[in-house]
Amino acid sequence: RPAVGSAATLEPMPAQVSIIMGSDSDWRVMEAARAVLDELGVSSEVDVVSAHRTPQKMVDFARGAADRGVRVIIAGAGGAAHLPGMVASMTRLPVIGVPVPLEKLDGLDSLLSIVQMPAGIPVATVSIGGARNAGILAARMLGAFDAELGARLDAFAAELERQVGDKAQALRDRVEAGA
Amino acid sequence: RPAVGSAATLEPMPAQVSIIMGSDSDWRVMEAARAVLDELGVSSEVDVVSAHRTPQKMVDFARGAADRGVRVIIAGAGGAAHLPGMVASMTRLPVIGVPVPLEKLDGLDSLLSIVQMPAGIPVATVSIGGARNAGILAARMLGAFDAELGARLDAFAAELERQVGDKAQALRDRVEAGA
Amino acid sequence: RPAVGSAATLEPMPAQVSIIMGSDSDWRVMEAARAVLDELGVSSEVDVVSAHRTPQKMVDFARGAADRGVRVIIAGAGGAAHLPGMVASMTRLPVIGVPVPLEKLDGLDSLLSIVQMPAGIPVATVSIGGARNAGILAARMLGAFDAELGARLDAFAAELERQVGDKAQALRDRVEAGA
Amino acid sequence: RPAVGSAATLEPMPAQVSIIMGSDSDWRVMEAARAVLDELGVSSEVDVVSAHRTPQKMVDFARGAADRGVRVIIAGAGGAAHLPGMVASMTRLPVIGVPVPLEKLDGLDSLLSIVQMPAGIPVATVSIGGARNAGILAARMLGAFDAELGARLDAFAAELERQVGDKAQALRDRVEAGA
Amino acid sequence: RPAVGSAATLEPMPAQVSIIMGSDSDWRVMEAARAVLDELGVSSEVDVVSAHRTPQKMVDFARGAADRGVRVIIAGAGGAAHLPGMVASMTRLPVIGVPVPLEKLDGLDSLLSIVQMPAGIPVATVSIGGARNAGILAARMLGAFDAELGARLDAFAAELERQVGDKAQALRDRVEAGA
Amino acid sequence: RPAVGSAATLEPMPAQVSIIMGSDSDWRVMEAARAVLDELGVSSEVDVVSAHRTPQKMVDFARGAADRGVRVIIAGAGGAAHLPGMVASMTRLPVIGVPVPLEKLDGLDSLLSIVQMPAGIPVATVSIGGARNAGILAARMLGAFDAELGARLDAFAAELERQVGDKAQALRDRVEAGA
Amino acid sequence: RPAVGSAATLEPMPAQVSIIMGSDSDWRVMEAARAVLDELGVSSEVDVVSAHRTPQKMVDFARGAADRGVRVIIAGAGGAAHLPGMVASMTRLPVIGVPVPLEKLDGLDSLLSIVQMPAGIPVATVSIGGARNAGILAARMLGAFDAELGARLDAFAAELERQVGDKAQALRDRVEAGA
Amino acid sequence: RPAVGSAATLEPMPAQVSIIMGSDSDWRVMEAARAVLDELGVSSEVDVVSAHRTPQKMVDFARGAADRGVRVIIAGAGGAAHLPGMVASMTRLPVIGVPVPLEKLDGLDSLLSIVQMPAGIPVATVSIGGARNAGILAARMLGAFDAELGARLDAFAAELERQVGDKAQALRDRVEAGA
């Protein structure tokens, strides 16, 4: 499994994907990104970087990411979620934004705060709470330049299809038997 | 009338209120803030500071504002509007956020991106496109410590009341005459 | 700690910030405003003032606040939340509005009822349920004229940053160890 | 036709319905209320009463309406629309609220600010911009105690039905001829 | 206490207010309307009338209500809530609509389905789940023609004000003591 | 081309699809339903039937439709759009609802009023303003029992595909030439 | 009771209605469609077909449905719910879409993703979670060509009416006794 | 400048980015993606591929893209926008979705239909109408593996910053001169 390191220390790292979030309470959502990257054999690092509470750390992180060898950044945040967009404004790397739903508004505020970026600074936004998809999206970006990873992604999709097939059969059996 | 200066030059200035916006196209909305501050005799400065396109200027502006003698910051932005919140994270001054409506969504994205700040970093949000109210709110903050300005605010409110009285009379006359 | 007094008695008080709410059931949300003001050493008073059920008390409160020495008013209300705006119409003090979420609509009605004020009468609106931020915002307004409070606000921000740093380290350790 | 008078002068008046609005610019919407009351032979008065800009006038109006002989109040307002609810809190008369749509949000803010009143103080809310329906609703309230007006309302409904019948025939003819 | 009778039997009844709802499951919300009418000494009847499942009963109910002596109808319904509007189209009585919230959408669908009536057929809409206010609104309509009921409504408002006063004192005591 | 007849006259008719709408002003939207049914060779009738202004006509129409030989009903309405659901409650035929957008709210109120029907009474809802799709959907229902119409629907889909192919070629040419 | 079969095997089947869903977790919602079709004596088949995870199975299913003798397709899906629309694009049969609500947004995303189809490809959308209504709607489509089923639908509606009558009586009794 | 080719012909092409859209009317929005890719020196191809009207072409396109050498797909669509998600389900390449706003709902339906993808199949969603950002995002993905493009992206950001600087100066001059 890939090593875990602190983005904040700014040391060069082997991680290809950097997963950051605005608060450690976002980990309950964001851990799915790391989990799927592990499944797909993609190295990642994890850190808490708050746009509002640690602005300097955010600036340092964003400016240094490309030079440290990171290729994709995944950033999760909730409410007035500024982290993904602010990081995107200070790096040339692709930034994937995960709208973390808070207690109220079902994540609609998080979604709009992340996706509605002005021309010039894009954020690749995934679904509300969609950290697992953020990880897969990062892998797809890398897989476009990595034949082995591409093959793993194809196998991943085939496995998804197989699982749905099994579940479909199980449901049909259940309906046949009991309904 | 108060002098106009560039916040970007970071020179000490006499302006009590700093009015910034994410794009010069926001001026059509934001000029109402400066206009009402002029009416109320409060000095202001104006600048374009983009959270996403000029992040370093934003950092420098936010960190230097209090030391330059600014007492209130008004920040307008649209869409994924990060400027007010990001500035608020790097100053101890009160920051007033003006949600600028863009072509789509009627400013609802701007509003949520500005108002839904996490605990610790508040933004004093006014109505969608409410730059005039942002100016008055800044004056109220200053007026709580400035008896003369307080008196001007009282006169301002009395004048509002008088104007409504005149318009009410005009409408009653019109209805009486023509309806 | 600052004394607690009743705004309704209209006696002169030393409180700099007045915290009012439309119903005593709003206290579960609003107490965070008083708590953070206590942390920051800012005196406050607390009262229930209902725009709809005690309109005369509201009028008396709003008209008398500035003369009693209050410098900032924090008003929380839910649903068709008229208290912040109505108080703002009868004082020249800055009024901070806290949208209290009710059982339905997640506070969106409260937010729009508070923030969408007409030109002339601003309310400084914070996030849905954001009473803690309302307290900090009041302190920022006062801190712009009070160097000691300003320094406490700087320390407060530094402490926030330190806490996020600790949490980030804890998360990285946890991920390193167990994930 | 019924006389027009100023509610603000607080003189006793023969009007059964009082039509007020927060701004004279709301008249473009609100005049439909007076028009339909004229059609139905119900006396009305018209005035501009702003909750935020003329709070004292609003208090005087609301407290005096029942004693002046008014039986129903129609109040139109937009944005953070507090007029209907505030008036309802200071009278025992039924208050009909008309959400006036502003430039942004299509009147959704006006609607929620008017309809979501707390328990104890109802506002009879009609559709966004629905001033004509507000007038008809007032007439229905009066007609429940006035047999002649009741008959006029029955005739009014029959006329509506007849008009739809004519339009239906015209459309069928047009489709038959041209389609 | 006022007698309870079935609207469906179409017998003349002494009830001044008729409370109907689209489903017996709406009673959990609608019983508050009857309770407050009882408090205010206003007679009411209760029935289940479904626009969609018992359309003929609805037609008979709406057409017969005025002749049976009913003066105000309160109708609660949820989702695509057609009952209030359909009843309003077949009576000249004022109809108060209560948007009943269903499991999804927090009653927003119910609210829009009830309040957005076309010109000609008004429904007096109260807040989502606001059955208590519907009852008070009905009493206000009747009280405009009934001095005794008007006095009870004044006492009701005074009692509300007194209760808020007590709660305010209790909160101030609690804050003084423990906070 | 199929004959046009009035549903209101209740005479037996050869039309397989009945197109009704709440107001003749809805024809601008609804004529697309008739047009595509003409294209597909399906007979239709057209009428204005208002749930609120002509409730009796609506009852007669809904109850008589199946016996007159109609097999599918298309009903368009806007705002608090009750026509499709009310008709569905008084016929066993499938009813297709078209949400007609009004001046405000972009048809969201129309959509929710039509689609959110309670269990027992379905309405087949199409997109906001989607009258053309309502016509095609009616044809699909009929085509499931009519091989010739089924073949016309297949040809219709093939033609759609061909048109997109042509447009794609034109765009590619344009981009090649001019971009 | 009708046989259960797998749509995926593409064998000719006697089922008139095919019920598919994007995930086996949707069965908790979708089983109501099968249940009501059983009640109405309409044969149905059940399968899991995911637009996104089993795209080839979806294509095969959609293209083969009409030839296998299916007359109506019911498709349920949640979130970015593409299954109903995609199936509709590859069959000439009527497709009924059921918006399945997910954990966030109360099914509003599912609803808009299903109902807002472009011109040419309609989906007959029912309410959020409205699988029971989807089943009834399918039966209505079939009943327009099947007199026996039509009669069962009439009986079904009569039974609904009777049940509401019983519940109304029970509520009136309860109110009479206890309220 | 990069060659333009037809994705539909399935010939191997040198284009790194494939820009597709559901309708040629989307080109008014989508051409900004190609324009910025041209500015950044990234080759692209353009085609119309409709999920609903040309489903087979969509399947062929999605399945063949990676083998043809495409590295990123940009897909724009409006309303029930299924194209980006469906293509993402049949390729392992990263797919960027552009919500195209239609006449109603301001693109909110397009946004939710694209962004709310189920776990397993991500779409990198940009802002409503944000085709220019889609192009930049594609370039960022490629730039993570292409030092020269990375440098061009850095220059692009610097140019954005410079432009804002110029506009800020122009605004300050204008305010100084005329305000």
Side-chain angles (χ1 to χ4, degrees):
Chain A
R1 86 183 341 284
V4 177
S6 164
T9 61
L10 299 182
E11 291 161 21
M13 289 196 52
Q16 290 180 285
V17 179
S18 190
I19 303 170
I20 58 173
M21 61 213 79
S23 160
D24 64 333
S25 66
D26 297 336
W27 179 243
R28 77 199 142 83
V29 168
M30 297 303 295
E31 61 186 335
R34 178 159 170 96
V36 80
L37 287 169
D38 281 359
E39 287 174 43
L40 289 164
V42 177
S43 62
S44 65
E45 61 179 23
V46 171
D47 209 350
V48 176
V49 179
S50 169
H52 300 120
R53 283 168 291 197
T54 64
Q56 187 60 52
K57 181 178 177 182
M58 178 184 70
V59 171
D60 295 344
F61 168 80
R63 293 221 168 110
D67 288 348
R68 286 191 300 117
V70 171
R71 294 200 193 268
V72 184
I73 295 169
I74 296 175
H82 300 175
L83 182 66
M86 286 311 303
V87 168
S89 76
M90 292 181 288
T91 183
R92 65 167 184 267
L93 295 176
V95 176
I96 300 172
V98 181
V100 174
L102 301 189
E103 202 192 339
K104 298 291 168 192
L105 298 183
D106 265 12
L108 195 65
D109 48 353
S110 317
L111 172 59
L112 294 174
S113 298
I114 291 174
V115 79
Q116 287 293 82
M117 289 292 290
I121 315 288
V123 170
T125 309
V126 294
S127 65
I128 296 169
R132 186 173 172 83
N133 267 359
I136 299 171
L137 180 57
R140 285 183 176 220
M141 293 179 193
L142 299 170
F145 292 90
D146 175 344
E148 248 181 80
L149 178 53
R152 285 201 296 278
L153 283 162
D154 282 340
F156 182 86
E159 172 61 16
L160 266 184
E161 192 162 358
R162 200 192 55 71
Q163 283 173 13
V164 174
D166 286 357
K167 287 178 178 173
Q169 186 60 52
L171 176 62
R172 288 193 307 265
D173 290 350
R174 198 167 117 211
V175 172
E176 175 84 55
Chain B
R1 82 178 351 277
V4 176
S6 164
T9 60
L10 299 182
E11 292 161 22
M13 290 196 52
Q16 290 180 285
V17 180
S18 189
I19 304 170
I20 59 173
M21 62 213 79
S23 161
D24 64 333
S25 66
D26 297 335
W27 179 243
R28 74 196 145 83
V29 168
M30 297 304 294
E31 62 186 334
R34 179 161 169 94
V36 81
L37 287 169
D38 282 358
E39 287 175 42
L40 288 164
V42 177
S43 62
S44 65
E45 61 178 22
V46 171
D47 209 350
V48 176
V49 178
S50 168
H52 301 119
R53 282 168 291 197
T54 64
Q56 186 60 51
K57 181 178 176 181
M58 180 184 69
V59 170
D60 295 343
F61 167 81
R63 294 220 167 111
D67 288 347
R68 286 192 300 116
V70 170
R71 293 199 194 267
V72 184
I73 296 170
I74 296 174
H82 300 175
L83 182 66
M86 286 311 303
V87 168
S89 77
M90 291 180 288
T91 183
R92 66 167 185 267
L93 296 177
V95 175
I96 300 172
V98 181
V100 174
L102 301 189
E103 201 192 341
K104 297 292 168 192
L105 297 182
D106 266 12
L108 195 66
D109 48 355
S110 317
L111 172 59
L112 293 174
S113 298
I114 290 175
V115 80
Q116 287 293 81
M117 289 293 290
I121 315 288
V123 170
T125 309
V126 294
S127 65
I128 297 169
R132 185 172 173 84
N133 268 359
I136 298 170
L137 179 58
R140 285 183 175 220
M141 293 179 193
L142 300 171
F145 292 90
D146 176 343
E148 248 181 81
L149 177 54
R152 285 201 296 277
L153 282 163
D154 282 340
F156 183 86
E159 172 62 16
L160 267 184
E161 191 162 358
R162 201 192 53 72
Q163 283 174 12
V164 173
D166 287 358
K167 286 178 177 172
Q169 187 58 53
L171 177 62
R172 289 194 306 264
D173 291 350
R174 199 166 117 210
V175 171
E176 175 85 56
Chain C
R1 83 181 347 282
V4 177
S6 165
T9 60
L10 300 182
E11 291 162 22
M13 288 198 52
Q16 289 179 284
V17 179
S18 190
I19 303 170
I20 59 173
M21 62 212 81
S23 161
D24 65 333
S25 66
D26 297 335
W27 180 243
R28 76 196 145 85
V29 168
M30 297 304 294
E31 61 185 335
R34 178 162 170 95
V36 80
L37 287 169
D38 281 358
E39 287 175 43
L40 289 164
V42 176
S43 62
S44 65
E45 62 178 23
V46 171
D47 209 350
V48 176
V49 179
S50 169
H52 300 119
R53 282 168 289 196
T54 63
Q56 187 59 52
K57 181 178 176 181
M58 179 184 70
V59 170
D60 295 342
F61 167 81
R63 293 220 168 110
D67 289 347
R68 286 190 300 117
V70 171
R71 293 198 194 268
V72 185
I73 295 169
I74 295 174
H82 300 175
L83 182 67
M86 287 310 303
V87 168
S89 77
M90 291 180 288
T91 182
R92 66 167 183 267
L93 296 176
V95 176
I96 300 172
V98 181
V100 175
L102 301 189
E103 201 192 340
K104 297 292 169 192
L105 298 183
D106 266 11
L108 195 65
D109 49 353
S110 317
L111 171 59
L112 293 174
S113 299
I114 290 175
V115 80
Q116 287 294 82
M117 290 291 290
I121 315 288
V123 170
T125 309
V126 293
S127 65
I128 296 169
R132 186 171 172 86
N133 268 358
I136 299 170
L137 180 58
R140 285 184 175 220
M141 293 179 192
L142 299 171
F145 292 89
D146 177 342
E148 248 180 80
L149 177 53
R152 284 200 298 276
L153 282 163
D154 283 339
F156 182 87
E159 172 61 16
L160 267 185
E161 192 162 358
R162 201 191 55 72
Q163 283 173 13
V164 174
D166 287 358
K167 287 178 178 173
Q169 187 60 53
L171 177 61
R172 287 193 307 264
D173 291 350
R174 200 167 115 208
V175 171
E176 175 84 57
Chain D
R1 82 178 351 279
V4 177
S6 164
T9 60
L10 300 182
E11 291 162 21
M13 290 196 50
Q16 291 179 283
V17 180
S18 190
I19 303 169
I20 60 173
M21 63 213 80
S23 161
D24 65 332
S25 66
D26 297 335
W27 180 243
R28 75 198 142 84
V29 168
M30 297 304 294
E31 63 186 335
R34 179 162 169 95
V36 80
L37 287 169
D38 281 358
E39 287 175 42
L40 289 164
V42 177
S43 62
S44 64
E45 61 179 21
V46 171
D47 209 348
V48 177
V49 178
S50 169
H52 301 119
R53 282 169 289 198
T54 65
Q56 187 59 53
K57 181 178 176 181
M58 178 185 70
V59 170
D60 295 342
F61 168 81
R63 293 219 168 110
D67 288 348
R68 285 191 301 116
V70 170
R71 294 198 193 267
V72 185
I73 295 170
I74 295 174
H82 301 175
L83 183 66
M86 287 310 302
V87 167
S89 77
M90 292 181 287
T91 182
R92 67 167 183 268
L93 296 176
V95 176
I96 300 171
V98 181
V100 174
L102 301 189
E103 201 192 340
K104 297 292 168 192
L105 297 183
D106 267 11
L108 195 65
D109 49 354
S110 318
L111 171 60
L112 293 175
S113 299
I114 291 175
V115 81
Q116 287 294 80
M117 289 293 289
I121 315 289
V123 170
T125 310
V126 294
S127 65
I128 297 170
R132 185 170 172 86
N133 267 359
I136 299 170
L137 180 58
R140 284 183 177 220
M141 292 179 193
L142 299 170
F145 292 90
D146 176 343
E148 248 182 79
L149 177 53
R152 284 201 297 277
L153 281 162
D154 283 339
F156 183 86
E159 172 61 16
L160 266 184
E161 191 162 359
R162 201 191 54 69
Q163 283 174 12
V164 174
D166 286 359
K167 286 176 177 174
Q169 187 59 54
L171 177 63
R172 288 192 308 264
D173 291 350
R174 199 166 117 209
V175 172
E176 174 86 58
Chain E
R1 88 183 341 284
V4 177
S6 164
T9 61
L10 300 181
E11 292 163 21
M13 289 197 50
Q16 288 179 285
V17 180
S18 189
I19 303 170
I20 59 173
M21 62 212 79
S23 162
D24 65 333
S25 66
D26 297 335
W27 179 243
R28 77 197 142 83
V29 168
M30 297 304 294
E31 63 185 333
R34 178 160 171 96
V36 80
L37 287 169
D38 282 359
E39 287 176 42
L40 289 164
V42 176
S43 62
S44 65
E45 62 179 20
V46 172
D47 210 348
V48 177
V49 179
S50 168
H52 301 119
R53 283 170 288 199
T54 64
Q56 186 59 52
K57 182 178 176 183
M58 178 185 71
V59 170
D60 295 342
F61 167 81
R63 292 218 168 112
D67 287 348
R68 286 190 301 116
V70 171
R71 293 199 192 268
V72 185
I73 295 169
I74 295 174
H82 300 175
L83 182 66
M86 287 310 303
V87 168
S89 77
M90 291 180 287
T91 183
R92 67 167 183 266
L93 295 176
V95 176
I96 299 172
V98 181
V100 175
L102 301 189
E103 201 194 340
K104 297 291 169 192
L105 298 183
D106 266 10
L108 195 65
D109 49 354
S110 318
L111 172 59
L112 293 174
S113 299
I114 291 175
V115 79
Q116 287 293 81
M117 289 293 289
I121 315 288
V123 170
T125 309
V126 294
S127 64
I128 296 169
R132 186 171 172 85
N133 268 358
I136 298 170
L137 180 57
R140 285 184 176 220
M141 293 180 192
L142 300 170
F145 292 90
D146 176 343
E148 249 180 79
L149 178 53
R152 284 200 297 277
L153 282 163
D154 283 339
F156 182 86
E159 172 62 15
L160 267 184
E161 192 162 358
R162 201 191 54 71
Q163 284 174 10
V164 174
D166 287 357
K167 287 177 178 175
Q169 187 58 54
L171 177 62
R172 287 194 307 265
D173 291 349
R174 200 167 115 209
V175 171
E176 176 83 58
Chain F
R1 82 181 346 283
V4 178
S6 163
T9 59
L10 300 181
E11 293 162 21
M13 289 197 51
Q16 289 179 285
V17 180
S18 189
I19 303 170
I20 59 173
M21 62 212 80
S23 161
D24 64 333
S25 65
D26 297 335
W27 179 242
R28 75 196 145 84
V29 168
M30 297 304 294
E31 62 186 334
R34 178 160 170 96
V36 80
L37 287 169
D38 282 0
E39 287 175 43
L40 288 163
V42 176
S43 62
S44 65
E45 61 179 22
V46 171
D47 210 349
V48 177
V49 179
S50 168
H52 301 119
R53 282 170 289 200
T54 64
Q56 187 59 53
K57 181 178 176 182
M58 179 184 70
V59 171
D60 295 343
F61 167 81
R63 294 221 167 108
D67 288 348
R68 286 191 300 115
V70 170
R71 294 199 193 266
V72 185
I73 295 169
I74 295 174
H82 301 175
L83 182 67
M86 287 310 302
V87 168
S89 77
M90 293 181 286
T91 182
R92 68 168 182 266
L93 295 176
V95 175
I96 300 171
V98 181
V100 174
L102 300 189
E103 201 192 340
K104 299 290 169 193
L105 298 183
D106 267 11
L108 195 64
D109 49 354
S110 318
L111 171 59
L112 293 174
S113 299
I114 290 174
V115 80
Q116 287 293 80
M117 289 292 289
I121 316 288
V123 170
T125 309
V126 294
S127 64
I128 297 170
R132 185 170 172 86
N133 268 359
I136 298 170
L137 180 57
R140 285 183 176 219
M141 293 179 193
L142 300 170
F145 292 91
D146 176 343
E148 250 182 78
L149 177 53
R152 284 201 297 276
L153 282 162
D154 283 339
F156 183 86
E159 173 61 16
L160 266 185
E161 192 163 357
R162 201 192 53 72
Q163 284 174 13
V164 173
D166 287 357
K167 286 176 179 176
Q169 187 59 53
L171 176 62
R172 288 192 309 264
D173 290 350
R174 200 167 116 209
V175 172
E176 175 85 57
Chain G
R1 88 184 338 285
V4 177
S6 164
T9 59
L10 300 182
E11 292 161 21
M13 288 196 52
Q16 289 179 285
V17 179
S18 189
I19 303 170
I20 59 173
M21 62 212 80
S23 161
D24 64 332
S25 66
D26 297 335
W27 180 243
R28 75 198 143 83
V29 168
M30 297 304 294
E31 63 186 334
R34 178 159 170 95
V36 80
L37 286 169
D38 281 359
E39 288 175 42
L40 289 164
V42 176
S43 61
S44 64
E45 61 179 22
V46 172
D47 209 348
V48 176
V49 179
S50 168
H52 301 119
R53 283 170 288 198
T54 64
Q56 186 60 51
K57 181 178 177 181
M58 178 184 70
V59 170
D60 295 343
F61 167 81
R63 292 219 168 111
D67 288 349
R68 285 191 301 117
V70 171
R71 294 199 192 268
V72 184
I73 295 169
I74 295 174
H82 300 175
L83 182 66
M86 286 310 303
V87 168
S89 77
M90 292 181 287
T91 182
R92 66 168 184 266
L93 295 176
V95 176
I96 300 172
V98 181
V100 174
L102 301 189
E103 201 192 339
K104 298 291 168 191
L105 298 183
D106 267 11
L108 195 65
D109 48 354
S110 317
L111 171 59
L112 293 174
S113 299
I114 290 174
V115 79
Q116 287 293 81
M117 289 292 290
I121 315 289
V123 169
T125 309
V126 294
S127 65
I128 296 169
R132 186 171 171 84
N133 268 359
I136 299 171
L137 179 57
R140 285 183 176 220
M141 292 179 193
L142 300 171
F145 292 90
D146 176 344
E148 249 181 79
L149 177 53
R152 284 201 296 276
L153 282 163
D154 283 339
F156 182 86
E159 173 60 16
L160 267 184
E161 192 161 358
R162 200 192 54 71
Q163 284 174 10
V164 174
D166 287 357
K167 287 176 178 175
Q169 187 58 54
L171 176 62
R172 288 192 308 263
D173 290 349
R174 198 166 117 210
V175 172
E176 176 83 59
Chain H
R1 82 180 348 281
V4 178
S6 164
T9 60
L10 299 182
E11 293 162 19
M13 289 198 51
Q16 289 179 283
V17 179
S18 189
I19 303 170
I20 59 173
M21 63 212 79
S23 161
D24 64 334
S25 66
D26 297 335
W27 179 243
R28 76 196 144 84
V29 168
M30 297 304 294
E31 61 186 334
R34 179 162 170 94
V36 80
L37 287 169
D38 281 359
E39 286 175 44
L40 288 163
V42 176
S43 61
S44 65
E45 61 179 23
V46 171
D47 208 350
V48 177
V49 178
S50 168
H52 301 119
R53 282 169 290 198
T54 63
Q56 187 59 53
K57 182 179 177 181
M58 178 185 70
V59 171
D60 295 343
F61 168 80
R63 294 221 167 109
D67 288 347
R68 286 190 301 117
V70 170
R71 293 200 195 266
V72 185
I73 295 169
I74 296 174
H82 300 175
L83 182 66
M86 287 310 303
V87 168
S89 77
M90 292 181 287
T91 183
R92 66 167 184 266
L93 296 176
V95 175
I96 300 172
V98 181
V100 174
L102 300 189
E103 201 193 340
K104 298 292 169 192
L105 297 183
D106 266 11
L108 195 66
D109 48 354
S110 317
L111 172 58
L112 293 174
S113 299
I114 291 174
V115 80
Q116 287 293 81
M117 290 291 290
I121 315 287
V123 169
T125 309
V126 294
S127 65
I128 297 170
R132 186 171 172 84
N133 268 359
I136 298 170
L137 180 57
R140 285 184 176 221
M141 292 179 193
L142 300 170
F145 292 90
D146 175 344
E148 249 182 78
L149 178 53
R152 284 201 297 276
L153 282 163
D154 282 339
F156 182 85
E159 172 61 15
L160 267 185
E161 191 162 358
R162 201 191 54 70
Q163 283 175 13
V164 174
D166 287 357
K167 286 179 178 172
Q169 188 58 54
L171 177 62
R172 288 194 307 265
D173 291 350
R174 199 166 115 210
V175 172
E176 176 83 58

